[in-house]
């Protein structure tokens, strides 16, 4: 037990936008790929529609607007994202120190696929700290904003939902954590919130606390 986190037995971290500063990079790649496939999209709009969501949300959107994606769209997008990450991805400032100070179990629960999560954490120098404790939307029937992924991760880690704290940067993630009966802190320090009021968005979604820098993780608020 960590005395700074009372009534908490587990901390679940989202990956993109919480551990690594990847949301703007990946949504820029997505927007460019969609435009290439004849679907009108901007990075800003992609962030609004798909932040914290799995590829199922992308496919649902395309069906809703009457557009189809080429068969090679997702594999090609994955390659482009990996290449962009390889040269531009950085860890969220201060996250390594937070992980090093935690005195209780922690894991990842991400909407990204498992290979991308592993790749991102390895690039950011965070993979060793998490080991195999990586849970993704591929492992459950319904991704965020459904509670399934967080409940699955907590069960795998042997923690009760009510004693689990989630760190999230997206509306869908906050909604999912609250639906799972967990405490959730909204993190708005990623570059994708440079031009958006993440504080208002995550507060409205139900976040119990909002913070904008990992150096503030342990502060009251």
């Amino acid at each position: 037990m960590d005395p700074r986190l009372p009534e908490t037995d587990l901390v679940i971290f989202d990956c993109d936008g919480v551990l690594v500063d990847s949301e703007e990079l990946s949504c820029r790649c997505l927007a460019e790929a969609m435009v290439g496939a004849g679907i009108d999209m901007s990075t800003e709009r992609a962030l609004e529609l798909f932040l914290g969501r799995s590829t199922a949300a992308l496919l649902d959107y395309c069906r809703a607007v009457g557009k189809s994606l080429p068969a090679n769209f997702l594999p090609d997008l994955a390659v482009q994202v990996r290449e962009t990450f390889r040269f531009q991805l950085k860890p969220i400032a201060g996250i390594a120190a937070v992980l090093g100070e935690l005195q209780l179990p922690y894991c990842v629960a991400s909407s990204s696929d498992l290979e991308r999560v592993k790749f991102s954490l390895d690039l950011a120098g965070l993979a060793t700290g998490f080991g195999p404790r990586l849970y993704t939307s591929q492992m459950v029937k319904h991704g965020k904003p459904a509670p399934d992924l967080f409940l699955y991760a907590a069960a795998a880690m042997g923690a009760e939902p009510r004693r689990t704290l989630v760190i999230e940067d997206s509306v869908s993630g906050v909604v999912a954590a609250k639906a799972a009966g967990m405490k959730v802190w909204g993190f708005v320090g990623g570059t994708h919130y440079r031009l958006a009021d993440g504080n208002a968005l995550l507060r409205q979604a139900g976040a119990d606390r909002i913070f904008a820098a990992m150096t503030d993780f342990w502060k009251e608020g």
Side-chain angles (χ1 to χ4, degrees):
M1 182 179 223
D2 193 317
R4 296 164 296 181
L5 296 173
E7 300 181 1
T8 302
D9 296 330
L10 171 69
V11 180
I12 299 178
F13 291 90
D14 179 35
C15 182
D16 297 291
V18 172
L19 300 175
V20 293
D21 200 3
S22 57
E23 296 286 23
E24 187 169 38
L25 296 176
S26 58
C27 282
R28 186 179 73 214
C29 291
L30 175 58
E32 290 173 353
M34 292 179 75
V35 169
I39 303 171
D40 185 44
M41 186 59 57
S42 66
T43 300
E44 294 73 23
R45 181 65 171 152
L47 283 165
E48 180 184 336
L49 290 170
F50 307 119
L51 180 65
R53 309 291 298 276
S54 66
T55 54
L58 168 64
L59 300 177
D60 288 344
Y61 174 82
C62 290
R63 280 193 290 268
V65 298
K67 300 285 187 178
S68 59
L69 295 172
N72 63 338
F73 183 89
L74 292 177
D76 288 353
L77 175 62
V79 170
Q80 184 57 49
V81 168
R82 284 174 73 93
E83 286 307 299
T84 299
F85 281 12
R86 192 183 305 277
F87 296 104
Q88 299 183 48
L89 185 71
K90 292 181 173 60
I92 290 291
I95 186 60
V98 168
L99 298 177
E101 290 180 37
L102 272 175
Q103 299 173 26
L104 46 74
Y106 60 87
C107 66
V108 168
S110 172
S111 293
S112 293
D113 65 78
L114 185 59
E115 288 308 309
R116 176 169 145 181
V117 170
K118 290 180 177 178
F119 182 71
S120 298
L121 294 179
D122 190 50
L123 281 177
L126 302 173
T128 302
F130 284 94
R133 304 185 308 279
L134 310 176
Y135 307 101
T136 72
S137 57
Q138 298 165 299
M139 301 174 183
V140 295
K141 184 174 182 180
H142 302 291
K144 305 171 190 177
D148 303 31
L149 179 56
F150 288 132
L151 291 172
Y152 180 87
M157 295 292 293
E160 295 181 40
R162 66 182 181 84
R163 295 184 64 86
T164 298
L165 169 64
V166 175
I167 313 300
E168 261 289 352
D169 72 305
S170 70
V171 168
S172 62
V174 170
V175 170
K178 296 308 290 185
M182 299 174 179
K183 299 181 292 289
V184 57
W185 291 356
F187 178 69
V188 294
T191 55
H192 56 291
Y193 279 128
R194 194 173 60 242
L195 302 176
D197 187 357
N199 193 310
L201 287 171
L202 300 189
R203 184 75 68 186
Q204 185 175 17
D208 299 298
R209 177 197 170 200
I210 309 290
F211 67 114
M214 285 297 169
T215 50
D216 293 334
F217 186 91
W218 300 109
K219 292 182 180 180
E220 296 290 333

